[in-house]
């Protein structure tokens, strides 16, 4: 088997396992778009992966196609800087009964402030890993996270 195909096959399996999904669960969750037998064949490198199918798999896993094929992030996937208005965050803490998602965001940001010992700041820059962990915690994409932060007035636009 070709080295590149072996790497893609291994990456396919690793991505699926990182999401704690079986092949059968993927078939069910994808509503039959991704068949367990076919996906298993791609993971073993026994079956050729078309561009169309690679796109479907990347979309299902919510990963860039470039990562699926190369294991590297595409340059075009570079994300905007995510800066949080901590003054606005303090006012949200006082708000009665914020949604569970917002409570998680507030708690997460408070944890970052504590870990960095940045108690007097008015702005907090979230690092790429911070954003990745937060999106996993609240079950959304990076774009949805930015939208949530923006809706609640927490996002500061970089000039």
């Amino acid at each position: 088997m070709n080295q590149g195909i072996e790497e893609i096959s291994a990456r396919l399996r690793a991505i699926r396992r990182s999401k704690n999904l079986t092949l059968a669960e993927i078939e069910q969750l994808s509503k039959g778009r991704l068949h367990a037998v076919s996906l298993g064949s791609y993971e073993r490198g026994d079956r050729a992966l078309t561009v169309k199918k690679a796109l479907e798999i990347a979309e299902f896993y919510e990963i860039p196609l470039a990562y699926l094929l190369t294991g590297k992030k595409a340059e075009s996937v570079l994300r905007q800087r995510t800066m949080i208005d901590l003054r606005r965050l303090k006012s949200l803490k006082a708000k009665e009964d914020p949604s569970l998602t917002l409570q998680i965001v507030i708690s997460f940001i408070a944890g970052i402030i504590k870990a960095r010992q940045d108690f007097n700041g008015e702005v907090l820059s979230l690092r790429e890993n911070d954003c990745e962990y937060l999106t996993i915690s609240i079950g959304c994409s990076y774009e949805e996270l930015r939208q949530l932060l923006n809706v609640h007035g927490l996002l500061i636009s970089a000039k």
Side-chain angles (χ1 to χ4, degrees):
M1 186 175 4
N2 181 316
Q3 179 69 21
I5 293 171
E6 287 178 0
E7 291 172 2
I8 293 169
S9 297
R11 202 166 13 267
L12 278 169
R13 178 172 281 135
I15 292 166
R16 176 179 56 81
R17 287 183 174 168
S18 75
K19 295 182 178 288
N20 295 318
L21 293 171
T22 65
L23 294 169
E25 289 171 331
I26 289 176
E27 183 168 349
Q28 183 181 16
L29 290 170
S30 71
K31 298 182 173 93
R33 279 189 11 232
L34 301 173
H35 297 283
V37 172
S38 299
L39 194 55
S41 294
Y42 299 138
E43 289 182 2
R44 290 187 304 277
D46 296 339
R47 187 173 188 169
L49 182 63
T50 65
V51 173
K52 180 180 178 185
K53 192 52 75 172
L55 283 166
E56 287 179 29
I57 293 169
E59 181 181 323
F60 176 81
Y61 285 141
E62 297 179 332
I63 60 169
L65 179 61
Y67 177 75
L68 178 63
L69 299 177
T70 67
K72 299 175 186 170
K73 292 182 181 178
E75 294 300 319
S76 63
V77 180
L78 292 176
R79 297 183 170 154
Q80 298 174 21
R81 195 167 177 193
T82 304
M83 296 186 301
I84 304 299
D85 183 342
L86 295 178
R87 295 164 297 198
R88 175 74 178 134
L89 181 72
K90 289 175 187 171
S91 72
L92 283 178
K93 284 183 183 178
K95 180 182 174 184
E96 287 184 33
D97 198 26
S99 69
L100 178 58
T101 301
L102 192 54
Q103 288 176 20
I104 293 169
V105 170
I106 292 169
S107 177
F108 187 89
I109 292 171
I112 291 172
I113 292 168
K114 184 177 179 183
R116 294 183 191 168
Q117 298 183 7
D118 186 12
F119 302 109
N120 295 321
E122 294 183 356
V123 174
L124 175 73
S125 291
L126 293 181
R127 299 172 182 155
E128 189 169 341
N129 284 344
D130 298 333
C131 291
E132 288 177 17
Y133 295 138
L134 187 51
T135 59
I136 290 167
S137 298
I138 62 176
C140 70
S141 69
Y142 175 77
E143 291 74 24
E144 291 168 328
L145 171 63
R146 287 189 60 86
Q147 183 179 11
L148 174 75
L149 295 171
N150 197 38
V151 163
H152 291 286
L154 293 173
L155 193 61
I156 296 174
S157 298
K159 303 272 194 266

